[in-house]
Amino acid sequence: MSQERGITPRAENFSEWYNDVIMRAELADYSPVRGCMVIRPRGYGIWELMQRALDEMFKETGHENAYFPLFIPQSFLAKEAQHVEGFSPETAVVTQGGGKELEEPLVVRPTSETIIYSLYAKWIQSYRDLPLLLNQWANIVRWEMRTRLFLRTTEFLWQEGHTAHATDREAEEETRLILGIYRRFMEEWMAMPVITGLKTESEKFAGAVRTYACEALMQDNRALQAGTSHHLGQNFAKAFEVQYQTAEGELEHVWNTSWGVSTRLVGGLIMSHSDDTGLVCPPRLAPTQVVIVPIWKSDEQRSSVMGVAGQIERELRASGVRVRLDARDGLKPGAKYYEWEGKGVPVRMEIGPRDVADQQAMVARRSGGKAPVKLADLVSAMPRVFAEIQSALFAAATERQEENTVRSVTKQQLIDLMEGPGGFAFGGYCGGERCEIEVKDRTKATVRVLPDPEFRSEPAPAACVWCGEPAVTEAVWAKAY
RNA sequence: CGGGGUGUAGCGCAGCCCGGUUAGCGCGCCUGCUUCGGGAGCAGGAGGUCCCCGGUUCAAAUCCGGGCACCCCGACCA
């Protein structure tokens, strides 16, 4: 036995398990700078695949990429009252440059609304300039009290879309369009089910009129806010005087939206599927989808096995599969199995002398199951195998979410649930801030979203879970990351 | 910011209470040979500011004081 350090069992300590999975899979490492993280190639590879998929969806819907500066004049943040109030406590500020005190301190962007809309004011003159649909891939800095790899770090990577529209309705449609894209990405690529809906006043983005979000339930039954889409109304347009002339010659402020997902998604991916062996990654986002492990005893066997393995590797790669042949000498096959399982490679192909003789390979899935496949069928079989794994992961995560969701909770059930197993609790809500605060004080749970119609209960709850007054809406409570 | 824990080789740790001369162990790493269908074996080898600063002492990984960093649990937080 030459076991590497084991992974803390998930059931024993979820946080330590999470860290262990990241270390075992070599996704990230701690940095010399407090609260910051280093994203290693296997983690960055997941992010790159996420970027590629999302970027394509943004472009399909008419968005273009641009890049705005990291530094924002401090005065810009202050132009929108709610915005500055929300972000000031967590900004990093540069006061010196080139050895001299700066005329005006520069904020390291915690988000880019202010600098972007200051430029939009210049670019937008006429209704013919609208809509303006831009996105940027960038890093941002928020000075966090307590950090966790991928989930909350001082610096992180994200995309932020910023759009300007002629009408309130168009901006609302954009906000909803993006929320739908996020949901589709999380379900179809991450195999992570989400609940979408509206944020309450206290939880919405600082400076927004409305914030919509995707909320996912992790394996410890806490909710992760995985993506947000904000309808900014004319708040920033007024602050930065972003105006356009209508066809009728009137001067109007534009309507803005902003929306983002971050490297936090990688954390969500990890916490949705992984197990005590290590990372479990859905094939569509796996930097390595297939690892080929050759097996031999003698030198003759080695050359024939490697010949076949190399051939399969080339064919799979040519067909678009992200494949890797593990030809390392001196490691037994079993050791390689454990290593690649820990790293979350969805499919392992074992090829030994017996397989070569039978013209087949053993195809083993990270999530369980192993079966021989004829060499001639390997390439054509992979899309189906990937699709099955992908949908099995989504089905398992969906089942887990449903098992940990309670509909029409009573006050006592809400308390018991949050003191006990956790999960999503659906119930009536009067809409009052006081109930929101009391629930949080008593249970640590917050309103994650006021769910969209497709997630709502039938029939709609009549009374507020907390105060018993008539419910004006339904809410989803959970303890959040 | 409060409570708890940890800093000794790349990783995981022992040694510290009770100071002592070449600071150990497992894994990993390098070389060679034998191995290889679920974590290989043998032989040889490389690798250390014992977190930092100061103090006590003939002598400090070990005792004392101060600091720093990281992790966990809270508090806080789009």
PDB file of all heavy atoms in Angstrom, chain B residues 1-13:
ATOM      1  P     C B   1      -8.733  42.643  13.557  1.00  0.00           P
ATOM      2  OP1   C B   1      -9.017  44.041  13.311  1.00  0.00           O
ATOM      3  OP2   C B   1      -7.541  42.315  14.393  1.00  0.00           O
ATOM      4  O5'   C B   1      -9.986  41.999  14.301  1.00  0.00           O
ATOM      5  C5'   C B   1     -10.624  42.710  15.325  1.00  0.00           C
ATOM      6  C4'   C B   1     -11.827  41.952  15.796  1.00  0.00           C
ATOM      7  O4'   C B   1     -12.684  41.580  14.677  1.00  0.00           O
ATOM      8  C3'   C B   1     -11.573  40.608  16.473  1.00  0.00           C
ATOM      9  O3'   C B   1     -11.112  40.751  17.804  1.00  0.00           O
ATOM     10  C2'   C B   1     -12.953  39.967  16.407  1.00  0.00           C
ATOM     11  O2'   C B   1     -13.802  40.492  17.393  1.00  0.00           O
ATOM     12  C1'   C B   1     -13.439  40.433  15.017  1.00  0.00           C
ATOM     13  N1    C B   1     -13.233  39.368  14.004  1.00  0.00           N
ATOM     14  C2    C B   1     -14.128  38.290  13.992  1.00  0.00           C
ATOM     15  O2    C B   1     -15.046  38.275  14.813  1.00  0.00           O
ATOM     16  N3    C B   1     -13.963  37.306  13.087  1.00  0.00           N
ATOM     17  C4    C B   1     -12.952  37.362  12.222  1.00  0.00           C
ATOM     18  N4    C B   1     -12.824  36.372  11.355  1.00  0.00           N
ATOM     19  C5    C B   1     -12.018  38.444  12.219  1.00  0.00           C
ATOM     20  C6    C B   1     -12.198  39.417  13.116  1.00  0.00           C
ATOM     21  P     G B   2     -10.374  39.501  18.526  1.00  0.00           P
ATOM     22  OP1   G B   2      -9.776  40.018  19.775  1.00  0.00           O
ATOM     23  OP2   G B   2      -9.533  38.824  17.523  1.00  0.00           O
ATOM     24  O5'   G B   2     -11.578  38.526  18.913  1.00  0.00           O
ATOM     25  C5'   G B   2     -12.234  38.659  20.163  1.00  0.00           C
ATOM     26  C4'   G B   2     -13.216  37.534  20.357  1.00  0.00           C
ATOM     27  O4'   G B   2     -14.045  37.420  19.160  1.00  0.00           O
ATOM     28  C3'   G B   2     -12.620  36.146  20.508  1.00  0.00           C
ATOM     29  O3'   G B   2     -12.160  35.881  21.818  1.00  0.00           O
ATOM     30  C2'   G B   2     -13.792  35.258  20.104  1.00  0.00           C
ATOM     31  O2'   G B   2     -14.748  35.166  21.138  1.00  0.00           O
ATOM     32  C1'   G B   2     -14.367  36.063  18.942  1.00  0.00           C
ATOM     33  N9    G B   2     -13.765  35.635  17.661  1.00  0.00           N
ATOM     34  C8    G B   2     -12.838  36.315  16.907  1.00  0.00           C
ATOM     35  N7    G B   2     -12.486  35.664  15.821  1.00  0.00           N
ATOM     36  C5    G B   2     -13.219  34.499  15.869  1.00  0.00           C
ATOM     37  C6    G B   2     -13.269  33.393  14.977  1.00  0.00           C
ATOM     38  O6    G B   2     -12.642  33.238  13.927  1.00  0.00           O
ATOM     39  N1    G B   2     -14.148  32.411  15.412  1.00  0.00           N
ATOM     40  C2    G B   2     -14.889  32.473  16.562  1.00  0.00           C
ATOM     41  N2    G B   2     -15.689  31.434  16.824  1.00  0.00           N
ATOM     42  N3    G B   2     -14.872  33.494  17.410  1.00  0.00           N
ATOM     43  C4    G B   2     -14.022  34.457  17.003  1.00  0.00           C
ATOM     44  P     G B   3     -10.912  34.921  22.042  1.00  0.00           P
ATOM     45  OP1   G B   3     -10.544  34.981  23.465  1.00  0.00           O
ATOM     46  OP2   G B   3      -9.907  35.229  21.006  1.00  0.00           O
ATOM     47  O5'   G B   3     -11.522  33.486  21.738  1.00  0.00           O
ATOM     48  C5'   G B   3     -12.475  32.909  22.625  1.00  0.00           C
ATOM     49  C4'   G B   3     -12.935  31.581  22.099  1.00  0.00           C
ATOM     50  O4'   G B   3     -13.613  31.768  20.826  1.00  0.00           O
ATOM     51  C3'   G B   3     -11.833  30.578  21.775  1.00  0.00           C
ATOM     52  O3'   G B   3     -11.310  29.928  22.916  1.00  0.00           O
ATOM     53  C2'   G B   3     -12.565  29.630  20.833  1.00  0.00           C
ATOM     54  O2'   G B   3     -13.441  28.774  21.532  1.00  0.00           O
ATOM     55  C1'   G B   3     -13.372  30.634  19.999  1.00  0.00           C
ATOM     56  N9    G B   3     -12.606  31.056  18.821  1.00  0.00           N
ATOM     57  C8    G B   3     -11.939  32.238  18.620  1.00  0.00           C
ATOM     58  N7    G B   3     -11.337  32.302  17.459  1.00  0.00           N
ATOM     59  C5    G B   3     -11.614  31.079  16.857  1.00  0.00           C
ATOM     60  C6    G B   3     -11.234  30.554  15.596  1.00  0.00           C
ATOM     61  O6    G B   3     -10.543  31.096  14.735  1.00  0.00           O
ATOM     62  N1    G B   3     -11.731  29.275  15.408  1.00  0.00           N
ATOM     63  C2    G B   3     -12.498  28.578  16.302  1.00  0.00           C
ATOM     64  N2    G B   3     -12.885  27.355  15.931  1.00  0.00           N
ATOM     65  N3    G B   3     -12.876  29.049  17.481  1.00  0.00           N
ATOM     66  C4    G B   3     -12.397  30.293  17.693  1.00  0.00           C
ATOM     67  P     G B   4      -9.762  29.498  22.935  1.00  0.00           P
ATOM     68  OP1   G B   4      -9.452  28.966  24.286  1.00  0.00           O
ATOM     69  OP2   G B   4      -8.976  30.611  22.384  1.00  0.00           O
ATOM     70  O5'   G B   4      -9.736  28.293  21.903  1.00  0.00           O
ATOM     71  C5'   G B   4     -10.371  27.060  22.220  1.00  0.00           C
ATOM     72  C4'   G B   4     -10.360  26.128  21.037  1.00  0.00           C
ATOM     73  O4'   G B   4     -10.980  26.784  19.891  1.00  0.00           O
ATOM     74  C3'   G B   4      -8.983  25.743  20.504  1.00  0.00           C
ATOM     75  O3'   G B   4      -8.328  24.763  21.280  1.00  0.00           O
ATOM     76  C2'   G B   4      -9.352  25.237  19.114  1.00  0.00           C
ATOM     77  O2'   G B   4      -9.965  23.969  19.164  1.00  0.00           O
ATOM     78  C1'   G B   4     -10.393  26.286  18.697  1.00  0.00           C
ATOM     79  N9    G B   4      -9.737  27.389  17.971  1.00  0.00           N
ATOM     80  C8    G B   4      -9.445  28.658  18.431  1.00  0.00           C
ATOM     81  N7    G B   4      -8.835  29.392  17.536  1.00  0.00           N
ATOM     82  C5    G B   4      -8.728  28.562  16.422  1.00  0.00           C
ATOM     83  C6    G B   4      -8.152  28.794  15.145  1.00  0.00           C
ATOM     84  O6    G B   4      -7.612  29.830  14.719  1.00  0.00           O
ATOM     85  N1    G B   4      -8.246  27.670  14.321  1.00  0.00           N
ATOM     86  C2    G B   4      -8.813  26.474  14.690  1.00  0.00           C
ATOM     87  N2    G B   4      -8.807  25.511  13.764  1.00  0.00           N
ATOM     88  N3    G B   4      -9.357  26.244  15.880  1.00  0.00           N
ATOM     89  C4    G B   4      -9.268  27.318  16.687  1.00  0.00           C
ATOM     90  P     G B   5      -6.724  24.800  21.359  1.00  0.00           P
ATOM     91  OP1   G B   5      -6.323  23.776  22.348  1.00  0.00           O
ATOM     92  OP2   G B   5      -6.266  26.200  21.518  1.00  0.00           O
ATOM     93  O5'   G B   5      -6.300  24.307  19.907  1.00  0.00           O
ATOM     94  C5'   G B   5      -6.639  22.999  19.472  1.00  0.00           C
ATOM     95  C4'   G B   5      -6.352  22.836  18.010  1.00  0.00           C
ATOM     96  O4'   G B   5      -7.000  23.890  17.253  1.00  0.00           O
ATOM     97  C3'   G B   5      -4.896  22.965  17.596  1.00  0.00           C
ATOM     98  O3'   G B   5      -4.136  21.811  17.890  1.00  0.00           O
ATOM     99  C2'   G B   5      -5.040  23.204  16.092  1.00  0.00           C
ATOM    100  O2'   G B   5      -5.357  22.011  15.413  1.00  0.00           O
ATOM    101  C1'   G B   5      -6.258  24.128  16.060  1.00  0.00           C
ATOM    102  N9    G B   5      -5.857  25.545  16.008  1.00  0.00           N
ATOM    103  C8    G B   5      -5.920  26.485  17.014  1.00  0.00           C
ATOM    104  N7    G B   5      -5.488  27.660  16.632  1.00  0.00           N
ATOM    105  C5    G B   5      -5.119  27.488  15.297  1.00  0.00           C
ATOM    106  C6    G B   5      -4.593  28.409  14.355  1.00  0.00           C
ATOM    107  O6    G B   5      -4.325  29.598  14.504  1.00  0.00           O
ATOM    108  N1    G B   5      -4.365  27.797  13.120  1.00  0.00           N
ATOM    109  C2    G B   5      -4.619  26.485  12.828  1.00  0.00           C
ATOM    110  N2    G B   5      -4.334  26.082  11.594  1.00  0.00           N
ATOM    111  N3    G B   5      -5.120  25.620  13.698  1.00  0.00           N
ATOM    112  C4    G B   5      -5.347  26.187  14.903  1.00  0.00           C
ATOM    113  P     U B   6      -2.570  21.976  18.191  1.00  0.00           P
ATOM    114  OP1   U B   6      -2.074  20.662  18.672  1.00  0.00           O
ATOM    115  OP2   U B   6      -2.326  23.191  19.004  1.00  0.00           O
ATOM    116  O5'   U B   6      -1.989  22.236  16.739  1.00  0.00           O
ATOM    117  C5'   U B   6      -2.239  21.300  15.700  1.00  0.00           C
ATOM    118  C4'   U B   6      -1.758  21.852  14.393  1.00  0.00           C
ATOM    119  O4'   U B   6      -2.492  23.051  14.068  1.00  0.00           O
ATOM    120  C3'   U B   6      -0.310  22.314  14.378  1.00  0.00           C
ATOM    121  O3'   U B   6       0.565  21.210  14.262  1.00  0.00           O
ATOM    122  C2'   U B   6      -0.298  23.246  13.173  1.00  0.00           C
ATOM    123  O2'   U B   6      -0.294  22.515  11.961  1.00  0.00           O
ATOM    124  C1'   U B   6      -1.667  23.927  13.307  1.00  0.00           C
ATOM    125  N1    U B   6      -1.588  25.241  13.990  1.00  0.00           N
ATOM    126  C2    U B   6      -1.181  26.326  13.223  1.00  0.00           C
ATOM    127  O2    U B   6      -0.884  26.228  12.062  1.00  0.00           O
ATOM    128  N3    U B   6      -1.146  27.521  13.899  1.00  0.00           N
ATOM    129  C4    U B   6      -1.460  27.737  15.222  1.00  0.00           C
ATOM    130  O4    U B   6      -1.381  28.871  15.682  1.00  0.00           O
ATOM    131  C5    U B   6      -1.869  26.565  15.948  1.00  0.00           C
ATOM    132  C6    U B   6      -1.914  25.382  15.320  1.00  0.00           C
ATOM    133  P     G B   7       2.110  21.406  14.496  1.00  0.00           P
ATOM    134  OP1   G B   7       2.748  20.084  14.516  1.00  0.00           O
ATOM    135  OP2   G B   7       2.364  22.372  15.583  1.00  0.00           O
ATOM    136  O5'   G B   7       2.431  22.108  13.117  1.00  0.00           O
ATOM    137  C5'   G B   7       3.640  22.694  12.868  1.00  0.00           C
ATOM    138  C4'   G B   7       3.561  23.462  11.573  1.00  0.00           C
ATOM    139  O4'   G B   7       2.627  24.557  11.714  1.00  0.00           O
ATOM    140  C3'   G B   7       4.909  24.066  11.224  1.00  0.00           C
ATOM    141  O3'   G B   7       5.084  24.151   9.836  1.00  0.00           O
ATOM    142  C2'   G B   7       4.800  25.469  11.866  1.00  0.00           C
ATOM    143  O2'   G B   7       5.620  26.418  11.235  1.00  0.00           O
ATOM    144  C1'   G B   7       3.308  25.784  11.674  1.00  0.00           C
ATOM    145  N9    G B   7       2.816  26.647  12.756  1.00  0.00           N
ATOM    146  C8    G B   7       2.312  26.263  13.977  1.00  0.00           C
ATOM    147  N7    G B   7       1.960  27.268  14.732  1.00  0.00           N
ATOM    148  C5    G B   7       2.232  28.390  13.963  1.00  0.00           C
ATOM    149  C6    G B   7       2.052  29.767  14.248  1.00  0.00           C
ATOM    150  O6    G B   7       1.600  30.284  15.275  1.00  0.00           O
ATOM    151  N1    G B   7       2.466  30.571  13.189  1.00  0.00           N
ATOM    152  C2    G B   7       2.984  30.103  12.010  1.00  0.00           C
ATOM    153  N2    G B   7       3.331  31.028  11.113  1.00  0.00           N
ATOM    154  N3    G B   7       3.158  28.824  11.718  1.00  0.00           N
ATOM    155  C4    G B   7       2.759  28.027  12.734  1.00  0.00           C
ATOM    156  P     U B   8       5.739  22.899   9.109  1.00  0.00           P
ATOM    157  OP1   U B   8       6.269  23.423   7.834  1.00  0.00           O
ATOM    158  OP2   U B   8       4.785  21.783   9.134  1.00  0.00           O
ATOM    159  O5'   U B   8       6.962  22.513  10.042  1.00  0.00           O
ATOM    160  C5'   U B   8       8.180  23.214   9.947  1.00  0.00           C
ATOM    161  C4'   U B   8       9.339  22.326  10.287  1.00  0.00           C
ATOM    162  O4'   U B   8       9.200  21.832  11.647  1.00  0.00           O
ATOM    163  C3'   U B   8       9.439  21.044   9.459  1.00  0.00           C
ATOM    164  O3'   U B   8       9.998  21.262   8.175  1.00  0.00           O
ATOM    165  C2'   U B   8      10.304  20.187  10.364  1.00  0.00           C
ATOM    166  O2'   U B   8      11.642  20.635  10.336  1.00  0.00           O
ATOM    167  C1'   U B   8       9.707  20.511  11.728  1.00  0.00           C
ATOM    168  N1    U B   8       8.589  19.610  12.096  1.00  0.00           N
ATOM    169  C2    U B   8       8.914  18.330  12.525  1.00  0.00           C
ATOM    170  O2    U B   8      10.059  17.927  12.601  1.00  0.00           O
ATOM    171  N3    U B   8       7.841  17.553  12.848  1.00  0.00           N
ATOM    172  C4    U B   8       6.519  17.889  12.786  1.00  0.00           C
ATOM    173  O4    U B   8       5.669  17.064  13.114  1.00  0.00           O
ATOM    174  C5    U B   8       6.262  19.224  12.335  1.00  0.00           C
ATOM    175  C6    U B   8       7.283  20.017  12.012  1.00  0.00           C
ATOM    176  P     A B   9       9.426  20.501   6.941  1.00  0.00           P
ATOM    177  OP1   A B   9       8.756  21.531   6.116  1.00  0.00           O
ATOM    178  OP2   A B   9       8.672  19.330   7.430  1.00  0.00           O
ATOM    179  O5'   A B   9      10.696  19.973   6.135  1.00  0.00           O
ATOM    180  C5'   A B   9      11.439  20.859   5.296  1.00  0.00           C
ATOM    181  C4'   A B   9      11.841  20.142   4.028  1.00  0.00           C
ATOM    182  O4'   A B   9      12.733  19.066   4.378  1.00  0.00           O
ATOM    183  C3'   A B   9      10.682  19.511   3.276  1.00  0.00           C
ATOM    184  O3'   A B   9      10.941  19.566   1.871  1.00  0.00           O
ATOM    185  C2'   A B   9      10.724  18.063   3.709  1.00  0.00           C
ATOM    186  O2'   A B   9      10.210  17.171   2.759  1.00  0.00           O
ATOM    187  C1'   A B   9      12.227  17.850   3.866  1.00  0.00           C
ATOM    188  N9    A B   9      12.605  16.777   4.773  1.00  0.00           N
ATOM    189  C8    A B   9      11.810  15.987   5.563  1.00  0.00           C
ATOM    190  N7    A B   9      12.459  15.081   6.242  1.00  0.00           N
ATOM    191  C5    A B   9      13.782  15.296   5.882  1.00  0.00           C
ATOM    192  C6    A B   9      14.965  14.673   6.257  1.00  0.00           C
ATOM    193  N6    A B   9      15.026  13.665   7.117  1.00  0.00           N
ATOM    194  N1    A B   9      16.119  15.127   5.709  1.00  0.00           N
ATOM    195  C2    A B   9      16.065  16.137   4.847  1.00  0.00           C
ATOM    196  N3    A B   9      15.009  16.815   4.414  1.00  0.00           N
ATOM    197  C4    A B   9      13.887  16.333   4.977  1.00  0.00           C
ATOM    198  P     G B  10      10.739  20.925   1.139  1.00  0.00           P
ATOM    199  OP1   G B  10      11.942  21.101   0.304  1.00  0.00           O
ATOM    200  OP2   G B  10      10.275  21.994   2.057  1.00  0.00           O
ATOM    201  O5'   G B  10       9.533  20.498   0.191  1.00  0.00           O
ATOM    202  C5'   G B  10       8.914  21.419  -0.693  1.00  0.00           C
ATOM    203  C4'   G B  10       7.803  20.673  -1.369  1.00  0.00           C
ATOM    204  O4'   G B  10       8.367  19.528  -2.047  1.00  0.00           O
ATOM    205  C3'   G B  10       6.773  20.099  -0.407  1.00  0.00           C
ATOM    206  O3'   G B  10       5.737  21.020  -0.151  1.00  0.00           O
ATOM    207  C2'   G B  10       6.279  18.862  -1.135  1.00  0.00           C
ATOM    208  O2'   G B  10       5.336  19.200  -2.120  1.00  0.00           O
ATOM    209  C1'   G B  10       7.556  18.386  -1.837  1.00  0.00           C
ATOM    210  N9    G B  10       8.335  17.426  -1.031  1.00  0.00           N
ATOM    211  C8    G B  10       9.627  17.604  -0.586  1.00  0.00           C
ATOM    212  N7    G B  10      10.080  16.579   0.092  1.00  0.00           N
ATOM    213  C5    G B  10       9.024  15.683   0.096  1.00  0.00           C
ATOM    214  C6    G B  10       8.930  14.399   0.670  1.00  0.00           C
ATOM    215  O6    G B  10       9.770  13.774   1.321  1.00  0.00           O
ATOM    216  N1    G B  10       7.673  13.824   0.446  1.00  0.00           N
ATOM    217  C2    G B  10       6.663  14.424  -0.255  1.00  0.00           C
ATOM    218  N2    G B  10       5.538  13.717  -0.359  1.00  0.00           N
ATOM    219  N3    G B  10       6.734  15.622  -0.802  1.00  0.00           N
ATOM    220  C4    G B  10       7.937  16.193  -0.591  1.00  0.00           C
ATOM    221  P     C B  11       5.089  21.086   1.303  1.00  0.00           P
ATOM    222  OP1   C B  11       4.166  22.242   1.281  1.00  0.00           O
ATOM    223  OP2   C B  11       6.126  20.996   2.345  1.00  0.00           O
ATOM    224  O5'   C B  11       4.222  19.765   1.345  1.00  0.00           O
ATOM    225  C5'   C B  11       3.040  19.636   0.557  1.00  0.00           C
ATOM    226  C4'   C B  11       2.390  18.305   0.815  1.00  0.00           C
ATOM    227  O4'   C B  11       3.280  17.245   0.387  1.00  0.00           O
ATOM    228  C3'   C B  11       2.131  17.973   2.282  1.00  0.00           C
ATOM    229  O3'   C B  11       0.960  18.581   2.778  1.00  0.00           O
ATOM    230  C2'   C B  11       2.046  16.453   2.247  1.00  0.00           C
ATOM    231  O2'   C B  11       0.818  16.018   1.717  1.00  0.00           O
ATOM    232  C1'   C B  11       3.152  16.132   1.254  1.00  0.00           C
ATOM    233  N1    C B  11       4.451  15.906   1.933  1.00  0.00           N
ATOM    234  C2    C B  11       4.653  14.672   2.570  1.00  0.00           C
ATOM    235  O2    C B  11       3.737  13.840   2.562  1.00  0.00           O
ATOM    236  N3    C B  11       5.839  14.444   3.194  1.00  0.00           N
ATOM    237  C4    C B  11       6.786  15.372   3.181  1.00  0.00           C
ATOM    238  N4    C B  11       7.929  15.091   3.805  1.00  0.00           N
ATOM    239  C5    C B  11       6.600  16.634   2.552  1.00  0.00           C
ATOM    240  C6    C B  11       5.424  16.861   1.936  1.00  0.00           C
ATOM    241  P     G B  12       0.884  18.930   4.330  1.00  0.00           P
ATOM    242  OP1   G B  12      -0.387  19.641   4.533  1.00  0.00           O
ATOM    243  OP2   G B  12       2.145  19.540   4.781  1.00  0.00           O
ATOM    244  O5'   G B  12       0.771  17.494   5.005  1.00  0.00           O
ATOM    245  C5'   G B  12      -0.372  16.676   4.767  1.00  0.00           C
ATOM    246  C4'   G B  12      -0.216  15.370   5.493  1.00  0.00           C
ATOM    247  O4'   G B  12       0.915  14.637   4.962  1.00  0.00           O
ATOM    248  C3'   G B  12       0.090  15.481   6.973  1.00  0.00           C
ATOM    249  O3'   G B  12      -1.061  15.752   7.730  1.00  0.00           O
ATOM    250  C2'   G B  12       0.687  14.105   7.261  1.00  0.00           C
ATOM    251  O2'   G B  12      -0.316  13.118   7.346  1.00  0.00           O
ATOM    252  C1'   G B  12       1.505  13.860   5.986  1.00  0.00           C
ATOM    253  N9    G B  12       2.903  14.294   6.163  1.00  0.00           N
ATOM    254  C8    G B  12       3.456  15.496   5.800  1.00  0.00           C
ATOM    255  N7    G B  12       4.734  15.578   6.093  1.00  0.00           N
ATOM    256  C5    G B  12       5.021  14.366   6.689  1.00  0.00           C
ATOM    257  C6    G B  12       6.246  13.864   7.221  1.00  0.00           C
ATOM    258  O6    G B  12       7.348  14.421   7.273  1.00  0.00           O
ATOM    259  N1    G B  12       6.089  12.584   7.733  1.00  0.00           N
ATOM    260  C2    G B  12       4.921  11.872   7.741  1.00  0.00           C
ATOM    261  N2    G B  12       4.974  10.653   8.278  1.00  0.00           N
ATOM    262  N3    G B  12       3.783  12.318   7.249  1.00  0.00           N
ATOM    263  C4    G B  12       3.905  13.562   6.744  1.00  0.00           C
ATOM    264  P     C B  13      -0.896  16.507   9.118  1.00  0.00           P
ATOM    265  OP1   C B  13      -2.119  16.249   9.901  1.00  0.00           O
ATOM    266  OP2   C B  13      -0.466  17.889   8.850  1.00  0.00           O
ATOM    267  O5'   C B  13       0.329  15.719   9.731  1.00  0.00           O
ATOM    268  C5'   C B  13       0.500  15.568  11.098  1.00  0.00           C
ATOM    269  C4'   C B  13       1.368  14.357  11.356  1.00  0.00           C
ATOM    270  O4'   C B  13       2.320  14.178  10.272  1.00  0.00           O
ATOM    271  C3'   C B  13       2.257  14.456  12.582  1.00  0.00           C
ATOM    272  O3'   C B  13       1.545  14.168  13.770  1.00  0.00           O
ATOM    273  C2'   C B  13       3.317  13.398  12.285  1.00  0.00           C
ATOM    274  O2'   C B  13       2.838  12.106  12.527  1.00  0.00           O
ATOM    275  C1'   C B  13       3.513  13.592  10.774  1.00  0.00           C
ATOM    276  N1    C B  13       4.651  14.473  10.456  1.00  0.00           N
ATOM    277  C2    C B  13       5.944  13.993  10.700  1.00  0.00           C
ATOM    278  O2    C B  13       6.087  12.873  11.179  1.00  0.00           O
ATOM    279  N3    C B  13       7.004  14.784  10.416  1.00  0.00           N
ATOM    280  C4    C B  13       6.812  16.002   9.896  1.00  0.00           C
ATOM    281  N4    C B  13       7.879  16.745   9.630  1.00  0.00           N
ATOM    282  C5    C B  13       5.496  16.506   9.651  1.00  0.00           C
ATOM    283  C6    C B  13       4.460  15.720   9.935  1.00  0.00           C
TER     284        C B  13
END
